[in-house]
Coordinates of all heavy atoms in Angstrom, one line a residue:
H119 N -35.7 67.6 -44.6 CA -35.0 66.4 -44.9 C -35.8 65.6 -46.0 O -35.2 65.0 -46.9 CB -34.8 65.5 -43.7 CG -33.6 65.7 -43.0 ND1 -32.4 66.1 -43.6 CD2 -33.3 65.6 -41.6 CE1 -31.4 66.3 -42.6 NE2 -31.9 65.9 -41.5
R120 N -37.1 65.6 -45.9 CA -37.9 64.9 -47.0 C -37.7 65.6 -48.3 O -37.7 64.9 -49.4 CB -39.3 64.9 -46.6 CG -39.6 63.9 -45.4 CD -41.1 63.8 -45.1 NE -41.3 62.9 -43.9 CZ -41.3 61.6 -43.9 NH1 -41.1 61.0 -45.0 NH2 -41.5 61.0 -42.7
S121 N -37.6 66.9 -48.3 CA -37.3 67.6 -49.6 C -36.0 67.3 -50.2 O -35.8 67.1 -51.4 CB -37.5 69.2 -49.4 OG -38.8 69.5 -49.1
I122 N -34.9 67.3 -49.3 CA -33.6 66.9 -49.8 C -33.6 65.5 -50.4 O -33.0 65.3 -51.4 CB -32.6 67.1 -48.7 CG1 -32.4 68.6 -48.3 CG2 -31.2 66.5 -49.1 CD1 -31.6 68.8 -47.1
F123 N -34.3 64.6 -49.7 CA -34.3 63.2 -50.1 C -35.0 63.2 -51.5 O -34.5 62.4 -52.4 CB -35.1 62.4 -49.1 CG -35.0 60.9 -49.3 CD1 -34.0 60.3 -50.1 CD2 -35.9 60.0 -48.7 CE1 -33.9 59.0 -50.3 CE2 -35.7 58.7 -48.8 CZ -34.8 58.1 -49.6
N124 N -36.0 63.9 -51.7 CA -36.7 64.0 -53.0 C -35.7 64.5 -54.1 O -35.7 64.0 -55.2 CB -37.9 64.9 -53.0 CG -39.1 64.2 -52.3 OD1 -39.0 63.1 -51.8 ND2 -40.2 65.0 -52.1
G125 N -34.9 65.5 -53.7 CA -34.0 66.0 -54.7 C -32.9 65.0 -55.1 O -32.5 64.9 -56.2
L126 N -32.5 64.2 -54.1 CA -31.5 63.1 -54.4 C -32.1 62.0 -55.3 O -31.3 61.4 -56.1 CB -31.0 62.5 -53.1 CG -30.2 63.5 -52.2 CD1 -29.9 62.8 -50.8 CD2 -28.9 64.0 -52.9
K127 N -33.4 61.8 -55.1 CA -34.0 60.7 -55.8 C -33.9 60.8 -57.4 O -34.0 59.8 -58.1 CB -35.4 60.5 -55.4 CG -35.6 59.9 -54.0 CD -37.0 59.8 -53.6 CE -37.2 59.2 -52.2 NZ -38.6 59.1 -51.8
V128 N -33.8 62.0 -57.9 CA -33.8 62.2 -59.3 C -32.6 61.6 -60.0 O -32.6 61.3 -61.2 CB -33.9 63.7 -59.7 CG1 -35.1 64.3 -59.2 CG2 -32.6 64.4 -59.3
F129 N -31.6 61.2 -59.2 CA -30.4 60.6 -59.7 C -30.4 59.1 -59.5 O -29.6 58.4 -60.0 CB -29.1 61.1 -59.0 CG -28.9 62.6 -59.1 CD1 -29.2 63.4 -58.1 CD2 -28.5 63.1 -60.3 CE1 -29.0 64.8 -58.2 CE2 -28.3 64.5 -60.5 CZ -28.5 65.3 -59.4
A130 N -31.5 58.6 -58.8 CA -31.5 57.1 -58.5 C -32.8 56.5 -58.7 O -32.9 55.3 -58.8 CB -31.0 56.9 -57.0
E131 N -33.9 57.3 -58.8 CA -35.2 56.7 -58.9 C -36.0 57.5 -60.0 O -35.7 58.6 -60.3 CB -36.0 56.7 -57.6 CG -35.3 56.0 -56.5 CD -36.0 56.1 -55.2 OE1 -37.2 56.4 -55.2 OE2 -35.4 56.0 -54.1
N132 N -37.0 56.9 -60.5 CA -37.9 57.6 -61.6 C -39.1 58.3 -61.0 O -40.0 58.7 -61.7 CB -38.3 56.6 -62.6 CG -37.2 56.2 -63.6 OD1 -36.4 57.0 -64.0 ND2 -37.1 54.9 -63.9
E133 N -39.1 58.4 -59.7 CA -40.3 58.9 -59.0 C -40.6 60.3 -59.4 O -41.8 60.7 -59.5 CB -40.2 58.7 -57.5 CG -41.4 59.2 -56.7 CD -41.3 59.0 -55.2 OE1 -40.3 58.4 -54.8 OE2 -42.1 59.5 -54.5
F134 N -39.6 61.2 -59.6 CA -39.8 62.6 -59.7 C -39.4 63.1 -61.1 O -39.5 64.3 -61.4 CB -39.0 63.4 -58.7 CG -39.5 63.1 -57.3 CD1 -38.9 62.2 -56.5 CD2 -40.7 63.7 -56.8 CE1 -39.4 61.9 -55.2 CE2 -41.2 63.4 -55.6 CZ -40.5 62.5 -54.7
S135 N -39.1 62.2 -62.0 CA -38.7 62.7 -63.4 C -38.9 61.5 -64.3 O -38.9 60.3 -63.9 CB -37.3 63.2 -63.5 OG -36.4 62.2 -63.1
N136 N -39.1 61.8 -65.6 CA -39.3 60.8 -66.6 C -38.0 60.0 -66.9 O -38.0 58.9 -67.5 CB -39.8 61.4 -67.9 CG -41.2 62.0 -67.7 OD1 -42.0 61.5 -66.9 ND2 -41.5 63.1 -68.4
H137 N -36.9 60.6 -66.7 CA -35.6 60.0 -66.9 C -34.6 60.3 -65.8 O -34.7 61.4 -65.2 CB -35.0 60.4 -68.2 CG -34.6 61.8 -68.3 ND1 -35.5 62.9 -68.4 CD2 -33.4 62.4 -68.2 CE1 -34.9 64.0 -68.4 NE2 -33.6 63.8 -68.3
L138 N -33.7 59.4 -65.5 CA -32.7 59.6 -64.5 C -31.6 60.5 -65.0 O -31.2 60.4 -66.2 CB -32.1 58.3 -64.1 CG -33.0 57.3 -63.3 CD1 -32.2 56.0 -63.0 CD2 -33.5 57.9 -62.0
L139 N -31.2 61.5 -64.2 CA -30.0 62.2 -64.5 C -28.8 61.4 -64.2 O -28.8 60.4 -63.4 CB -30.0 63.5 -63.6 CG -31.1 64.5 -63.9 CD1 -31.0 65.7 -62.9 CD2 -31.1 65.0 -65.3
Q140 N -27.6 61.8 -64.8 CA -26.4 61.1 -64.5 C -26.1 61.2 -63.0 O -26.0 62.3 -62.5 CB -25.3 61.6 -65.3 CG -23.9 60.9 -65.1 CD -22.8 61.5 -65.9 OE1 -23.0 62.6 -66.5 NE2 -21.6 60.9 -65.8
K141 N -25.8 60.1 -62.4 CA -25.5 60.1 -60.9 C -24.2 60.8 -60.7 O -23.2 60.4 -61.3 CB -25.5 58.7 -60.4 CG -25.4 58.6 -58.8 CD -25.3 57.2 -58.3 CE -24.0 56.6 -58.5 NZ -23.9 55.3 -57.8
P142 N -24.2 61.8 -59.8 CA -22.9 62.5 -59.6 C -22.0 61.7 -58.6 O -22.5 60.9 -57.8 CB -23.3 63.8 -58.9 CG -24.6 63.4 -58.2 CD -25.3 62.4 -59.1
E143 N -20.7 61.9 -58.7 CA -19.8 61.4 -57.7 C -20.0 62.1 -56.4 O -20.0 61.5 -55.3 CB -18.4 61.4 -58.2 CG -17.4 60.8 -57.2 CD -16.0 60.7 -57.8 OE1 -15.8 61.2 -58.9 OE2 -15.1 60.2 -57.0
V144 N -20.1 63.4 -56.5 CA -20.3 64.2 -55.3 C -21.5 65.1 -55.5 O -21.8 65.6 -56.6 CB -19.1 65.1 -55.0 CG1 -19.3 66.1 -53.9 CG2 -17.8 64.3 -54.7
V145 N -22.3 65.3 -54.4 CA -23.5 66.1 -54.5 C -23.3 67.2 -53.4 O -23.0 67.0 -52.3 CB -24.8 65.4 -54.3 CG1 -24.9 64.7 -53.0 CG2 -26.0 66.3 -54.5
I146 N -23.6 68.5 -53.8 CA -23.6 69.6 -52.9 C -25.0 69.8 -52.5 O -26.0 69.8 -53.2 CB -23.1 70.9 -53.7 CG1 -21.7 70.7 -54.1 CG2 -23.3 72.1 -52.8 CD1 -21.2 71.8 -55.1
I147 N -25.2 70.1 -51.2 CA -26.5 70.5 -50.6 C -26.3 72.0 -50.1 O -25.4 72.2 -49.3 CB -27.0 69.6 -49.5 CG1 -27.2 68.2 -50.1 CG2 -28.3 70.1 -48.9 CD1 -27.6 67.1 -49.1
H148 N -27.1 72.9 -50.6 CA -27.0 74.3 -50.2 C -28.4 74.9 -50.2 O -29.2 74.7 -51.0 CB -26.2 75.0 -51.3 CG -25.9 76.4 -50.9 ND1 -25.0 76.8 -49.9 CD2 -26.3 77.6 -51.5 CE1 -25.0 78.1 -49.8 NE2 -25.8 78.6 -50.7
D149 N -28.6 75.7 -49.1 CA -29.9 76.4 -49.0 C -30.1 77.4 -50.1 O -29.3 78.2 -50.4 CB -29.9 77.1 -47.6 CG -30.0 76.1 -46.4 OD1 -30.7 75.1 -46.6 OD2 -29.4 76.4 -45.4
A150 N -31.4 77.4 -50.5 CA -31.8 78.4 -51.6 C -31.8 79.8 -51.1 O -31.9 80.7 -51.9 CB -33.1 78.0 -52.2
V151 N -31.7 80.0 -49.8 CA -31.8 81.3 -49.2 C -30.4 81.8 -48.7 O -30.3 82.6 -47.8 CB -32.9 81.4 -48.1 CG1 -34.3 81.4 -48.7 CG2 -32.7 80.3 -47.0
R152 N -29.4 81.2 -49.2 CA -28.0 81.6 -48.9 C -27.4 82.0 -50.3 O -26.7 81.3 -50.9 CB -27.2 80.5 -48.3 CG -27.7 80.1 -46.9 CD -26.8 79.0 -46.4 NE -27.3 78.3 -45.2 CZ -27.0 78.6 -44.0 NH1 -26.0 79.4 -43.7 NH2 -27.5 77.9 -43.0
P153 N -27.7 83.3 -50.7 CA -27.3 83.6 -52.1 C -25.9 84.0 -52.3 O -25.4 84.1 -53.5 CB -28.2 84.9 -52.4 CG -28.4 85.5 -51.0 CD -28.4 84.3 -50.0
F154 N -25.1 84.2 -51.3 CA -23.7 84.8 -51.5 C -22.7 83.7 -51.3 O -21.7 83.9 -50.7 CB -23.5 85.9 -50.5 CG -24.5 87.0 -50.5 CD1 -25.3 87.3 -49.5 CD2 -24.7 87.7 -51.7 CE1 -26.3 88.3 -49.5 CE2 -25.7 88.7 -51.8 CZ -26.4 89.0 -50.7
V155 N -22.9 82.6 -52.0 CA -21.9 81.5 -51.9 C -20.9 81.6 -53.1 O -21.3 81.9 -54.2 CB -22.6 80.1 -52.0 CG1 -23.4 79.9 -53.3 CG2 -21.6 79.0 -51.8
E156 N -19.7 81.4 -52.8 CA -18.6 81.6 -53.8 C -18.0 80.2 -54.3 O -18.2 79.2 -53.6 CB -17.5 82.5 -53.3 CG -17.9 83.9 -52.9 CD -18.1 84.8 -54.1 OE1 -17.7 84.4 -55.2 OE2 -18.7 85.9 -53.9
E157 N -17.4 80.2 -55.4 CA -16.9 79.0 -56.0 C -15.8 78.4 -55.0 O -15.7 77.2 -54.9 CB -16.3 79.2 -57.4 CG -15.7 78.0 -58.0 CD -15.2 78.2 -59.4 OE1 -15.3 79.3 -59.9 OE2 -14.8 77.2 -60.0
D158 N -15.0 79.3 -54.4 CA -13.9 78.8 -53.6 C -14.4 77.8 -52.5 O -13.9 76.7 -52.3 CB -13.2 80.0 -53.0 CG -12.0 79.5 -52.1 OD1 -11.1 78.9 -52.7 OD2 -11.9 79.8 -50.9
I159 N -15.4 78.2 -51.7 CA -15.9 77.4 -50.6 C -16.6 76.1 -51.2 O -16.5 75.0 -50.6 CB -16.8 78.2 -49.7 CG1 -17.2 77.3 -48.4 CG2 -18.1 78.6 -50.4 CD1 -16.1 76.9 -47.6
L160 N -17.3 76.3 -52.3 CA -17.9 75.1 -52.9 C -16.9 74.1 -53.3 O -17.0 72.9 -53.1 CB -18.7 75.5 -54.1 CG -20.0 76.3 -53.8 CD1 -20.6 76.9 -55.1 CD2 -21.1 75.3 -53.3
S161 N -15.8 74.6 -53.9 CA -14.7 73.7 -54.3 C -14.1 73.0 -53.1 O -13.8 71.8 -53.1 CB -13.6 74.5 -55.1 OG -12.6 73.7 -55.5
K162 N -13.9 73.8 -52.0 CA -13.3 73.2 -50.8 C -14.1 72.1 -50.2 O -13.5 71.0 -49.8 CB -13.0 74.3 -49.8 CG -11.9 75.2 -50.1 CD -11.7 76.3 -49.1 CE -10.5 77.2 -49.4 NZ -10.4 78.3 -48.4
V163 N -15.4 72.3 -50.1 CA -16.2 71.2 -49.5 C -16.3 70.0 -50.5 O -16.4 68.8 -50.0 CB -17.6 71.7 -49.1 CG1 -17.5 72.8 -48.0 CG2 -18.4 72.2 -50.3
V164 N -16.4 70.2 -51.8 CA -16.4 69.1 -52.7 C -15.1 68.3 -52.6 O -15.2 67.0 -52.6 CB -16.6 69.7 -54.2 CG1 -16.3 68.6 -55.2 CG2 -18.1 70.1 -54.3
M165 N -14.0 68.9 -52.6 CA -12.7 68.2 -52.6 C -12.6 67.5 -51.2 O -12.1 66.4 -51.2 CB -11.6 69.1 -52.8 CG -11.5 69.6 -54.3 SD -10.0 70.5 -54.7 CE -10.3 72.1 -53.9
A166 N -13.1 68.1 -50.1 CA -13.0 67.4 -48.8 C -14.0 66.2 -48.8 O -13.6 65.2 -48.2 CB -13.4 68.4 -47.7
A167 N -15.1 66.4 -49.4 CA -16.1 65.2 -49.5 C -15.5 64.1 -50.3 O -15.7 62.9 -50.0 CB -17.4 65.7 -50.1
K168 N -14.8 64.4 -51.3 CA -14.1 63.4 -52.2 C -13.2 62.6 -51.3 O -13.1 61.3 -51.5 CB -13.4 64.1 -53.3 CG -12.5 63.2 -54.1 CD -13.2 62.3 -55.0 CE -12.2 61.5 -55.9 NZ -12.9 60.5 -56.8
E169 N -12.5 63.2 -50.4 CA -11.5 62.5 -49.6 C -12.1 61.9 -48.4 O -11.7 60.7 -48.0 CB -10.4 63.5 -49.1 CG -9.3 62.9 -48.3 CD -8.3 63.9 -47.9 OE1 -8.3 65.1 -48.4 OE2 -7.4 63.5 -47.1
H170 N -13.1 62.5 -47.7 CA -13.6 62.1 -46.4 C -15.0 61.5 -46.5 O -15.5 60.9 -45.5 CB -13.6 63.2 -45.4 CG -12.2 63.8 -45.1 ND1 -11.4 63.2 -44.2 CD2 -11.6 64.8 -45.7 CE1 -10.2 63.9 -44.2 NE2 -10.3 64.9 -45.1
G171 N -15.7 61.6 -47.6 CA -17.0 61.1 -47.8 C -18.1 62.2 -47.5 O -19.2 62.1 -48.0
A172 N -17.8 63.2 -46.7 CA -18.7 64.2 -46.3 C -17.9 65.4 -45.8 O -16.8 65.3 -45.3 CB -19.7 63.8 -45.3
A173 N -18.5 66.6 -46.1 CA -17.8 67.9 -45.6 C -18.9 69.0 -45.5 O -19.9 69.0 -46.2 CB -16.7 68.3 -46.6
G174 N -18.6 69.9 -44.7 CA -19.5 71.0 -44.5 C -18.8 72.3 -44.0 O -17.8 72.2 -43.3
A175 N -19.4 73.4 -44.4 CA -18.8 74.7 -44.0 C -19.3 75.0 -42.5 O -20.4 74.6 -42.1 CB -19.3 75.8 -44.9
I176 N -18.4 75.6 -41.8 CA -18.7 76.0 -40.4 C -18.2 77.4 -40.2 O -17.4 78.0 -40.9 CB -17.9 75.1 -39.4 CG1 -16.4 75.1 -39.6 CG2 -18.5 73.7 -39.4 CD1 -15.6 74.5 -38.5
R177 N -18.8 78.0 -39.1 CA -18.4 79.4 -38.7 C -18.3 79.4 -37.2 O -19.0 78.7 -36.5 CB -19.4 80.4 -39.2 CG -19.4 80.6 -40.7 CD -18.2 81.4 -41.2 NE -18.2 82.8 -40.6 CZ -17.2 83.5 -40.4 NH1 -16.0 83.1 -40.8 NH2 -17.3 84.7 -39.9
P178 N -17.5 80.3 -36.6 CA -17.5 80.5 -35.2 C -18.8 80.9 -34.6 O -19.6 81.6 -35.3 CB -16.4 81.6 -35.0 CG -15.6 81.6 -36.2 CD -16.6 81.2 -37.3
L179 N -19.1 80.5 -33.4 CA -20.4 80.9 -32.8 C -20.3 82.4 -32.4 O -19.3 82.8 -31.9 CB -20.6 80.1 -31.5 CG -21.1 78.6 -31.7 CD1 -21.2 77.9 -30.4 CD2 -22.4 78.5 -32.4
V180 N -21.4 83.1 -32.7 CA -21.4 84.5 -32.3 C -21.8 84.7 -30.9 O -21.3 85.5 -30.2 CB -22.4 85.3 -33.3 CG1 -22.5 86.7 -32.9 CG2 -21.9 85.1 -34.7
S181 N -22.8 83.9 -30.4 CA -23.3 84.0 -29.1 C -23.0 82.7 -28.3 O -22.9 81.6 -28.9 CB -24.8 84.3 -29.1 OG -25.1 85.5 -29.8
T182 N -23.0 82.8 -27.0 CA -22.9 81.6 -26.2 C -24.2 80.8 -26.2 O -25.3 81.4 -26.1 CB -22.5 82.0 -24.7 OG1 -21.2 82.6 -24.8 CG2 -22.4 80.7 -23.8
V183 N -24.1 79.5 -26.3 CA -25.3 78.6 -26.2 C -25.5 78.1 -24.8 O -24.6 77.6 -24.2 CB -25.1 77.4 -27.2 CG1 -26.3 76.5 -27.1 CG2 -24.9 77.9 -28.6
I184 N -26.8 78.3 -24.3 CA -27.1 77.9 -23.0 C -28.3 76.9 -23.0 O -29.1 76.9 -24.0 CB -27.5 79.1 -22.1 CG1 -28.7 79.9 -22.6 CG2 -26.3 80.0 -22.0 CD1 -29.2 81.0 -21.7
A185 N -28.4 76.1 -22.0 CA -29.6 75.2 -21.8 C -30.4 75.6 -20.6 O -29.8 76.0 -19.6 CB -29.1 73.8 -21.7
S186 N -31.7 75.6 -20.7 CA -32.5 76.0 -19.6 C -33.1 74.8 -18.9 O -33.3 73.7 -19.6 CB -33.7 76.9 -20.1 OG -34.5 76.2 -21.0
A187 N -33.3 74.9 -17.6 CA -33.9 73.8 -16.9 C -35.4 73.8 -17.0 O -36.0 74.8 -17.7 CB -33.5 73.9 -15.4
A188 N -36.1 72.8 -16.5 CA -37.6 72.8 -16.6 C -38.3 74.0 -16.0 O -39.4 74.4 -16.5 CB -38.1 71.5 -16.0
D189 N -37.6 74.6 -15.0 CA -38.3 75.7 -14.4 C -38.0 77.0 -15.1 O -38.3 78.1 -14.6 CB -37.9 75.8 -12.9 CG -36.3 75.9 -12.7 OD1 -35.6 76.0 -13.8 OD2 -35.9 76.0 -11.6

Side-chain angles (χ1 to χ4, degrees):
H119 271 329
R120 291 187 184 276
S121 290
I122 293 172
F123 194 15
N124 286 357
L126 296 172
K127 286 178 180 178
V128 302
F129 300 105
E131 304 177 21
N132 285 318
E133 181 178 353
F134 295 100
S135 62
N136 295 327
H137 67 282
L138 292 179
L139 296 177
Q140 181 183 6
K141 187 179 78 170
E143 182 173 359
V144 173
V145 62
I146 296 166
I147 298 176
H148 184 69
D149 290 323
V151 289
R152 296 179 190 259
F154 304 121
V155 61
E156 298 285 349
E157 181 175 4
D158 183 61
I159 186 63
L160 288 166
S161 177
K162 286 179 179 177
V163 296
V164 165
M165 290 189 286
K168 169 73 172 176
E169 180 179 353
H170 299 275
I176 57 170
R177 290 287 297 158
L179 288 175
V180 176
S181 302
T182 299
V183 178
I184 61 174
S186 61
D189 60 1

